[in-house]
Amino acid sequence: MTRGVIQFTNSSDGMPIAYWSIGSGPPIILIHNFTLSHGELEWEINSLRSFYEALAEQHEVIRLDPRGTGLSGVEPDPTVEQVAADVEAVADAMGHARFDLVATSTLAAVGIRLATTERVKHLVLCDPSVTIAEAKEHGKFLDAIQVLAETGLSDVIASFWASTAPTDDAEPLRAVLEAIIREHPGVLQASPSPWDGRPWLGDVIAPTLIIYTRSGAITSVEQAREAAAAIPNARLVGINGSFSPYMVDRDAVLSSFGDFLGWQPSGEPLASGTSIVVFTDIVASTEVVDRVGDEEGRNAIRSVEDLVAETAADLSGQVVKHLGDGSLLEFRSASNALDFARKVQVELSGGDIKLRVGMAAGEPIHEDGDVHGAVVVVASRIADAAQPGQVFVSDGVKQLLLGKQYKFEDQGEHSLKGFDEPLRVWRLNS
């Protein structure tokens, strides 16, 4: 996989912010600490690149350099609010009203601040320095970084980073650090110690995962615990090793991400390339439009499309396209797909517009932002077999949910147009 093209957008105060994106799926934005953020050069760091590539199998991964780092504009003493505005500017440029957010180390306060708003769907904090002033006290590490940067001993700093990462990352790490010192000479010295995310901890409304490394050189376990205790319903996960989690045990970090974001139904990940394809169909949409008129009818259908999109986004699903009288969606989690269908049907119950939903599990073909293949056709045919207000699923979807708290009623084998063998279909009980 190649790195996305580096683009620029302006933050709310006009500061140029650099970013790139790869992959497809629910958007996830990553912001790293000030001493290791360079959107161009970090692609050469094998452990980082492989982390991005693995994450891009599930998400549209968006990496930005906040002001004062990497290729973005120079800002010697940025504030939490300024960097939060940088993140929002990139999300706006990408067309995302809501997004998942990963904030590492010194950027934790920014993640916490943004997660008090509706824009952040899920927040992941990696080795969070909730209060940078206290992080600087932890082993006096950042104070040492300042002295080394001021005296030009980039080799020493690079050697430290290299000691926490795989051997073949040593030279790329050195290149990143030297570029940061050269292009943003004040950023290491600044290390914005006034930043303090604690006042916002209790106001976080996004589901939150906190990952800390047990031998971390920058942050303390105490800060991670404090954040987990103060953020409502936060999860805390420890990883062996030190510093950036993706340089320690990438598989453990990705497993934690997947469990939190819904990649792992029934405790196991879907096979590579497997998706749950979902069709929603508005029953008798033509009659609805005829009855209420074109404008009101279209507004009613658009409200259903908005409901479908928002509910899917909350459950890490993706609307592939709206079809005029329904929608095509894709999920990486069978349980999330079922929860989506159930919530949409409950929301529409009692109203004039009725929806039927069909879903199947398989490996669709992805091309130009669309999905194709037999699984897509099967999901469409299953939706056609359902009655208004019902959710029908293939036998494959049901098997993925063994042991989960979902109840199904056997609808027997259906002969679906275009398929030689009949397929067993199940109805989700409400």
Side-chain angles (χ1 to χ4, degrees), residues 82-105:
Q82 284 177 319
V83 177
D86 298 345
V87 175
E88 291 183 307
V90 170
D92 290 342
M94 294 293 295
H96 299 308
R98 304 190 70 208
F99 49 87
D100 298 328
L101 179 64
V102 179
T104 299
S105 188

Side-chain angles (χ1 to χ4, degrees), residues 363-427:
E363 297 189 4
I365 300 167
H366 295 84
E367 184 176 281
D368 297 329
D370 204 348
V371 293
H372 309 275
V375 64
V376 178
V377 178
V378 170
S380 175
R381 299 284 189 262
I382 289 176
D384 291 340
Q387 296 298 310
Q390 292 183 338
V391 178
F392 277 18
V393 308
S394 69
D395 195 57
V397 172
K398 180 179 179 293
Q399 295 304 316
L400 287 169
L401 294 166
L402 289 175
K404 294 288 187 177
Q405 299 302 309
Y406 299 97
K407 303 297 183 183
F408 297 94
E409 183 176 329
D410 190 353
Q411 301 299 297
E413 292 187 333
H414 284 238
S415 296
L416 302 181
K417 181 180 179 181
F419 293 87
D420 295 333
E421 298 293 329
L423 298 176
R424 184 165 296 279
V425 175
W426 300 82
R427 177 168 67 86

